[in-house]
């Protein structure tokens, strides 16, 4: 009876639904505290409330602010890694590096008035022309975005020195190198080392990701205003103000630019820029926790507003302890400040005090690669989908671009052009320059999907005819223009995307696709010439060999059903992931091995009783048909910079993967797509359960497992998983890796929960154990909350059977 009551109580807790009404109300500007003079933290502080305000006491408010299915999981999450700030208060790096002001002079043209605090570039004319786009004087306001490649060699040398010290300490720790350094400096470095980094640290080289292609870009957000004034020539004054930052979320500065440019019209002096500069760099983001790549992926792919709320609360606990310690030594003592966790962990709320006005700022917590500023994929898709659906027009055939024939969907044509590194122009004649800039930024994010890189660095959100010589030197550029002269020069571009008409045009001067080994291979398979429209019947039917037509139909249906921007971005990420996995299978089929899949010898060894890797097809015929349908697109991609950077990224991530001896994605796809026998499905469920269990420690199982046996073997440089000892942190990261395979947009825990209905009792019990560990996980509890009631009832039934058998 006691056991039954325990199960009933647990069931009532786990089935408790989240309540968004319990989030604390928005705080007033009066809740902002004054910066402590004895600290280096930036002010004003993040959202906080005074102790005397009517706010639930923290940390007890956590249970009210989050949808906890297991309260103890939130208070003591199985994550031993020390939380860090994305933007520490004592960091020497500034939010904004430069502020620029330019104006248009009727006699001299575009003129740079100020560069504060110093000159960012000696070519003031070029900067001023970028800041004052074509036809700016006919609009009262316009926005532009452009990027600068600024040399940062001094900082790069310092960063590289720090990385080398980290690598050397790691080699010493692994016994690969002797520690010959002595002295106080070395002792201080060792003392300052974080003990949680002893085995694994995804944060240590987090900054390296942006440095592979060179110094980080300087993102420039520019505002142009036109004021009518009959006392000047042409009857108007045109001025532009720009903010230069290395933060890709530069759109958060728009309200500040609006106020500052108005202020500059009233007081056109450098002190106006200095005031804005100080206000922006005083923004405090020190309570924003740094997330690992796996955590960022999960946060991006979920709508749960309290995902990883524990990390924010841990940051707050650390800050409150520091405040209390500092307050105990001050005289007279100041009242302690009370901090509140965010209402939505996807965004960090802060404030910037400018001219006595508190400006609310929301900074995205999890930044996605190749995502700059604020844009809409939905708007981009609708712009070119609507004319195609109402009045389709054929494209000139090109193997890389028209993979579904002359009537390939325009968005797929754009996608193919991005993947195969074609020169792309977005033309917005008589449109504000911010529209073409947003289209360029959306296209970069479309092609990246958060996985691929190499687009933003070669993108020009806005440019003009004066930069055409420099533009044509860039291979595979993505540029936004407003001058219609570009449309009459097909030798300048490969694909022209006309925003006002929603039509795309393939240049008649585009370079033809070369004949490759992959193309010859599938021509031999097909017994003759082939193209993307006639290769055969794929998963989606004889008229849609690539499945792109069906995908775009479902995507447009999702938009018509008012699915949000995050949902559409998740769909594109899945498309890019599928494409990369198909490309890997293509290389293995044609060339015998693939640079897009590392460690196949480990995943095929059957460490947990299952083997295999890569994309899953129902049979070999379906595989060959789909590979043949994608031959041109894949071969065109294999010679691009995004392909090579992706290979580099995969190699770097492989050494940091929590679990490298089993391809979780492959086996989950087998559960999802194939009709497996009981023995086959049992092997997969048991492998998943054992992998998670073994990651938690050797004492968690009664018999020696392949994981334990591997711990007694010599370390192998090709098996990074063997270099990580079982621990709570490893189990936490391994569960994260599993959850990235099954985001909410990919069915969540549904197919794993089907193991609760397996005819073998040992499989059902193993799935219960797996789900219990997921329920206790900081992110996994949200996946459990979205699982259907039918599966939850099966979970409790199996749990009762297990406890009854034990009794």
């Amino acid at each position: 009876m006691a056991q039954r009551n325990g199960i009933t109580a647990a069931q009532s807790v786990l089935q408790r639904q989240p309540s968004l009404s319990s989030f604390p109300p928005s705080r007033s500007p009066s809740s902002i505290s004054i910066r402590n003079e004895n600290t280096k933290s930036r002010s004003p502080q993040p959202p906080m409330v005074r102790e005397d305000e009517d706010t639930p006491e923290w940390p007890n408010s956590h249970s009210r602010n989050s949808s906890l299915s297991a309260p103890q999981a939130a208070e003591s999450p199985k994550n031993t890694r020390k939380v860090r700030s994305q933007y520490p208060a004592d960091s020497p790096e500034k939010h904004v590096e430069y502020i620029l002001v330019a104006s248009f002079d009727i006699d001299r043209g575009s003129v740079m008035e100020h560069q504060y605090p110093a000159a960012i570039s000696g070519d003031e004319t070029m900067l001023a022309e970028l800041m004052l786009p074509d036809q700016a004087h006919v609009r009262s306001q316009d926005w532009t975005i452009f990027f600068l490649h600024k040399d940062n060699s001094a900082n790069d040398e310092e960063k590289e020195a720090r990385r080398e010290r980290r690598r050397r300490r790691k080699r010493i720790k692994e016994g690969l190198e002797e520690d010959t350094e002595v002295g106080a400096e070395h002792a201080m470095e060792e003392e300052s080392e974080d003990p949680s980094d002893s085995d694994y640290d995804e944060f240590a080289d987090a900054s390296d990701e942006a440095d592979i292609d060179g110094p980080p870009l300087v993102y420039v957000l520019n505002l142009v205003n036109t004021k009518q004034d009959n006392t000047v020539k042409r009857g108007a004054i045109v001025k532009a103000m720009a903010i230069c930052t290395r933060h890709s979320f530069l759109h958060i500065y728009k309200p500040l630019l609006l106020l500052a440019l108005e202020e500059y019209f009233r007081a056109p002096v450098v002190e106006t820029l200095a005031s804005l500069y100080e206000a922006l760099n005083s923004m405090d983001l020190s309570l924003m926790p740094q997330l690992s790549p796996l955590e960022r992926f999960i946060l991006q792919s979920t709508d749960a507003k309290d995902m990883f709320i524990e990390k924010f609360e841990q940051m707050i606990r650390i800050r409150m302890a520091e405040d209390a310690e500092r307050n105990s030594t001050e005289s007279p003592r100041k009242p302690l400040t009370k901090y509140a966790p965010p209402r939505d962990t996807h965004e960090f709320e802060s404030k910037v005090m400018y001219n006595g006005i508190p400006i609310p700022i929301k900074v995205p917590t999890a930044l996605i690669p190749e995502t700059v500023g604020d844009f809409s994929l939905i708007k981009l898709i609708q712009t070119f989908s609507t004319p195609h659906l109402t009045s389709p027009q054929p494209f000139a055939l090109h193997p890389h671009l028209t993979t579904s024939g002359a009537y390939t969907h325009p968005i797929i044509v754009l996608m193919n052009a991005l993947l195969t590194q074609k020169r792309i122009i977005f033309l917005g004649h008589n449109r504000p320059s911010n529209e073409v800039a947003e289209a360029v930024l959306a296209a970069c994010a479309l092609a990246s999907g958060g996985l691929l890189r190499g687009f933003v660095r070669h993108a020009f959100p806005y440019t003009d005819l004066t930069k055409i010589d420099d533009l044509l030197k860039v291979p595979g550029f993505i540029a936004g223009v407003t001058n219609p002269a570009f449309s009459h020069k097909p030798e300048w571009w490969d694909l022209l995307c006309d925003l006002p008409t929603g039509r795309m045009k393939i240049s008649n001067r585009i370079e033809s696709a070369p004949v490759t080994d992959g193309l010859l291979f599938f021509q031999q398979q097909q017994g003759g010439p082939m193209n993307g429209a006639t290769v055969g019947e794929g998963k989606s039917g004889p008229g849609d060999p690539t499945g792109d037509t069906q995908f775009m139909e479902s995507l447009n249906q999702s938009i018509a059903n008012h699915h949000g921007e995050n949902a559409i971005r998740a769909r594109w990420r899945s498309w890019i992931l599928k494409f990369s996995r198909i490309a890997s299978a293509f290389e293995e089929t044609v060339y015998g091995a693939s640079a897009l899949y590392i460690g196949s010898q480990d995943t095929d060894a059957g460490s947990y009783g299952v083997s295999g890797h890569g994309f899953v097809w129902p049979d070999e015929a379906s595989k060959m048909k789909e590979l043949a349908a994608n031959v041109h697109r894949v071969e065109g991609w294999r010679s691009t910079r995004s392909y090579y950077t992706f290979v580099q990224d995969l190699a770097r991530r492989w050494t940091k993967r929590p679990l490298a001896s089993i391809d979780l994605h492959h086996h989950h796809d087998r559960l999802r797509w194939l009709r497996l026998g009981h023995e086959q499905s049992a092997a997969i469920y048991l492998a998943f359960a054992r992998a998670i269990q073994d990651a938690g420690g050797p004492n968690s199982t009664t018999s020696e497992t392949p994981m334990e046996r591997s711990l007694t073997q010599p370390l192998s440089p090709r098996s990074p998983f063997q270099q990580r000892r079982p621990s709570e942190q490893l189990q936490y990261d391994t569960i994260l890796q599993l959850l990235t395979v099954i985001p909410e947009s990919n069915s969540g825990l549904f197919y794993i929960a089907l193991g609760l209905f397996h005819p073998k009792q040992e499989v059902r019990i193993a799935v219960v154990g797996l789900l219990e560990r997921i329920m206790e996980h900081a992110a996994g509890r949200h996946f459990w909350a979205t699982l259907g009631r039918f599966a939850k009832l099966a979970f409790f039934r199996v749990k009762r059977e297990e406890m009854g058998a034990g009794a």
Side-chain angles (χ1 to χ4, degrees):
M1 180 64 69
Q3 292 176 344
R4 183 179 298 274
N5 292 338
I7 291 294
T8 304
Q11 182 174 357
S12 64
V13 171
L14 291 168
Q15 291 180 333
R16 190 175 301 155
Q17 298 297 318
S19 174
L20 300 183
S21 62
S22 62
F23 281 90
S26 19
R27 273 76 68 187
S28 64
S30 61
S31 65
I32 300 173
S33 68
I34 301 175
R35 176 171 47 179
N36 191 302
E37 298 176 357
N38 296 329
T39 64
K40 295 183 180 179
S41 60
R42 301 181 177 120
S43 64
Q45 299 290 341
M48 59 190 74
V49 291
R50 293 289 185 185
E51 289 185 343
D52 54 353
E53 293 186 11
D54 296 332
T55 303
E57 286 297 318
W58 190 93
N60 294 332
S61 62
H62 170 77
S63 60
R64 300 180 57 191
N65 292 342
S66 55
S67 56
L68 293 179
S69 49
Q72 67 276 13
E75 296 176 7
S76 180
K78 290 191 174 182
N79 181 11
T80 58
R81 182 186 295 123
K82 181 181 178 181
V83 67
R84 304 179 184 178
S85 172
Q86 285 196 45
Y87 305 98
D90 57 355
S91 172
E93 298 181 3
K94 297 182 179 298
H95 296 311
V96 171
E97 298 187 6
Y98 301 92
I99 298 179
L100 315 175
V101 175
S103 62
F104 184 81
D105 185 273
I106 189 64
D107 299 317
R108 296 183 295 166
S110 301
V111 178
M112 181 67 68
E113 291 189 3
H114 294 291
Q115 298 187 62
Y116 184 87
I120 188 175
S121 171
D123 193 348
E124 293 187 351
T125 302
M126 180 272 293
L127 280 177
E129 290 174 348
L130 284 173
M131 293 174 63
L132 296 165
D134 294 337
Q135 302 298 308
H137 63 279
V138 304
R139 289 179 288 272
S140 61
Q141 184 181 105
D142 199 1
W143 295 90
T144 58
I145 292 176
F146 55 93
F147 309 146
L148 299 176
H149 300 253
K150 184 174 179 293
D151 183 24
N152 200 29
S153 56
N155 291 339
D156 290 343
E157 291 176 2
E158 182 180 349
K159 288 182 179 179
E160 182 57 33
R162 289 200 300 266
R163 294 184 196 124
E164 179 56 34
R165 287 196 295 269
R166 279 200 304 266
R167 289 191 287 264
R168 186 172 186 278
R169 284 195 293 266
K170 184 177 180 181
R171 291 194 299 268
I172 293 172
K173 199 170 296 182
E174 294 172 354
L176 302 177
E177 184 177 335
E178 293 184 1
D179 186 2
T180 57
E181 286 191 30
V182 293
E185 182 179 353
H186 177 62
M188 290 176 62
E189 287 182 1
E190 291 296 333
E191 185 177 347
S192 64
E193 278 298 290
D194 187 350
S196 64
D197 297 342
S198 56
D199 290 329
Y200 176 69
D201 188 359
E202 286 187 276
F203 302 124
D205 297 322
S207 61
D208 295 355
E209 296 183 12
D211 295 346
I212 289 180
D213 299 328
L217 294 173
V218 175
Y219 304 101
V220 183
L221 175 67
N222 180 64
L223 171 63
V224 187
N225 271 2
T226 301
K227 301 287 187 182
Q228 301 300 321
D229 189 342
N230 295 328
T231 64
V232 299
K233 294 181 180 180
R234 298 185 68 177
I237 300 175
V238 182
K239 291 186 183 293
M241 181 178 290
I243 287 176
C244 306
T245 175
R246 296 196 186 273
H247 297 332
S248 60
F249 47 81
L250 70 170
H251 61 282
I252 69 169
Y253 300 119
K254 282 188 174 182
L256 277 302
L257 263 184
L258 287 168
L259 293 175
L261 187 52
E262 286 294 328
E263 180 66 21
Y264 186 82
F265 270 100
R266 291 191 295 268
V269 292
V270 72
E271 286 74 18
T272 301
L273 307 186
S275 174
L276 176 63
Y277 182 82
E278 293 298 326
L280 291 173
N281 285 312
S282 68
M283 179 173 59
D284 187 2
L285 304 180
S286 59
L287 290 182
M288 184 194 300
Q290 186 174 15
L291 304 179
S292 71
L294 294 176
E295 290 168 336
R296 291 201 302 268
F297 174 87
I298 291 174
L299 183 58
Q300 294 158 10
S301 59
T302 183
D303 292 328
K305 295 183 180 298
D306 57 341
M307 180 69 76
F308 300 120
I309 188 72
E310 302 84 1
K311 290 182 175 293
F312 290 86
E313 294 180 340
Q314 188 177 349
M315 295 288 295
I316 293 175
R317 281 196 294 270
I318 295 173
R319 174 64 62 83
M320 292 180 67
E322 293 174 350
D323 289 350
E325 182 180 357
R326 183 169 55 250
N327 189 63
S328 64
T329 61
E330 292 181 353
S331 181
R333 295 182 179 180
K334 298 179 181 179
L336 288 176
T337 302
K338 194 76 168 69
Y339 304 92
R343 291 182 289 262
D344 185 350
T345 55
H346 293 80
E347 297 177 325
F348 182 84
E349 299 181 15
S350 185
K351 287 184 173 65
V352 174
M353 289 295 296
Y354 178 67
N355 286 349
I357 303 174
I359 309 298
I361 297 291
K362 291 184 178 180
V363 179
T365 305
L367 298 178
I368 308 174
E370 302 289 297
T371 301
V372 180
D374 192 21
F375 55 84
S376 171
L377 286 190
I378 293 178
K379 180 179 178 180
L380 177 69
I381 293 170
Q382 289 180 321
T383 297
F384 296 101
S385 291
T386 302
H388 177 75
L389 295 175
T390 55
S391 178
Q393 295 180 1
F395 285 101
L397 291 176
H398 188 278
H400 286 171
L401 305 184
T402 54
T403 49
S404 296
Y407 289 92
T408 301
H409 195 284
I411 294 297
I412 297 298
V413 172
L414 173 62
M415 194 73 194
N416 292 336
L418 290 161
L419 288 174
T420 56
Q421 200 170 296
K422 299 297 186 288
R423 299 173 300 171
I424 302 170
I425 289 286
F426 284 92
L427 173 61
H429 181 48
N430 288 331
R431 295 291 181 92
S433 55
N434 71 291
E435 287 194 17
V436 297
E438 289 178 3
V440 170
L441 298 177
C444 292
L446 189 79
S448 168
L451 296 173
L452 306 181
R453 296 189 299 112
F455 304 101
V456 168
R457 186 167 287 273
H458 299 83
F460 302 83
Y462 173 77
T463 191
D464 55 35
L465 281 174
T466 64
K467 316 296 186 303
I468 186 63
D469 291 337
D470 295 328
L471 181 67
L472 294 179
K473 295 177 183 177
V474 179
F477 60 76
I478 310 108
V481 301
T482 57
N483 195 318
F486 282 88
S487 63
H488 305 303
K489 294 288 187 177
E491 67 272 16
W492 288 354
W493 43 267
D494 298 319
L495 181 67
L496 180 71
C497 307
D498 192 296
L499 292 173
T501 63
R503 298 291 185 180
M504 295 184 188
K505 182 179 181 180
I506 298 176
S507 172
N508 56 11
R509 306 285 293 275
I510 188 173
E511 184 179 350
S512 59
V515 177
T516 62
D517 293 338
L519 180 60
L520 295 176
F521 176 88
F522 281 99
Q523 283 182 347
Q524 295 173 0
Q525 294 288 323
Q526 299 288 337
M530 53 177 285
N531 60 63
T534 60
V535 288
E537 181 177 338
K539 285 184 178 180
S540 305
D544 186 21
T546 61
D548 293 339
T549 302
Q550 182 184 18
F551 173 76
M552 289 306 306
E553 289 175 354
S554 65
L555 195 68
N556 283 311
Q557 187 62 44
S558 295
I559 295 175
N561 292 336
H562 305 290
H563 291 182
E565 179 75 14
N566 287 339
I568 301 304
R569 295 189 187 190
R571 296 285 299 275
W572 270 110
R573 183 185 180 99
S574 299
W575 191 96
I576 292 293
L577 179 61
K578 175 185 175 182
F579 168 73
S580 67
R581 299 177 72 205
I582 288 177
S584 175
F586 175 92
E587 290 185 335
E588 290 183 335
T589 301
V590 176
Y591 301 104
S594 174
L596 299 173
Y597 197 95
I598 304 173
S600 58
Q601 66 273 25
D602 292 333
T603 55
D604 293 346
S607 299
Y608 289 97
V610 292
S611 60
H613 68 276
F615 198 70
V616 172
W617 284 272
D619 51 58
E620 188 66 18
S622 299
K623 174 182 176 180
M624 297 303 292
K625 288 177 181 178
E626 187 149 15
L627 293 182
N630 284 275
V631 59
H632 295 289
R633 180 158 52 196
V634 172
E635 288 284 46
W637 179 54
R638 293 183 67 248
S639 59
T640 65
R641 57 178 171 263
S642 67
Y643 173 86
Y644 290 113
T645 54
F646 188 52
V647 170
Q648 292 176 330
D649 291 342
L650 289 174
R652 188 178 64 256
R653 293 170 190 164
W654 176 259
T655 63
K656 301 177 182 180
R657 290 183 64 179
L659 184 59
S661 56
I662 178 175
D663 188 337
L664 298 175
H665 209 151
H666 171 81
H667 294 293
H668 184 266
D669 280 356
R670 291 178 62 205
L671 292 175
R672 187 178 186 184
W673 299 115
L674 304 184
R675 302 182 66 175
L676 302 176
H678 295 320
E679 293 297 329
Q680 293 174 303
S681 61
I684 297 176
Y685 289 123
L686 292 175
F688 283 7
R690 182 185 292 176
I692 301 300
Q693 181 183 20
D694 288 351
N699 295 329
S700 61
T701 180
T702 57
S703 60
E704 187 180 45
T705 66
M707 171 62 189
E708 293 176 24
R709 290 194 296 270
S710 69
L711 296 176
T712 63
Q713 300 172 357
L715 295 181
S716 170
R718 71 175 177 83
S719 301
F721 185 53
Q722 294 179 350
Q723 299 180 19
R724 296 191 58 190
R725 297 296 185 260
S727 64
E728 287 189 353
Q729 182 62 58
L730 177 59
Q731 187 172 75
Y732 175 88
D733 293 329
T734 304
I735 294 176
L736 281 178
Q737 184 178 342
L738 175 61
L739 296 180
T740 60
V741 172
I742 54 172
E744 295 176 8
S745 59
N746 193 22
S747 73
L749 292 172
F750 176 79
Y751 290 98
I752 290 180
L754 288 181
L756 296 169
F757 304 95
H758 198 277
K760 288 189 175 183
Q761 184 181 22
E762 62 172 322
V763 175
R764 298 196 300 270
I765 293 176
V767 172
V768 164
L770 173 61
L771 291 175
E772 284 180 327
R773 290 180 173 86
I774 293 175
M775 288 156 48
E776 296 170 355
H777 191 273
R781 60 187 176 88
H782 297 277
F783 285 71
W784 167 263
T786 60
L787 191 61
R789 182 178 177 84
F790 188 68
K792 290 181 178 179
L793 291 175
F795 170 87
F796 291 111
R797 184 187 70 248
V798 176
K799 186 70 175 175
R800 284 193 296 268
E801 293 175 357
E802 179 187 3
M803 298 181 69

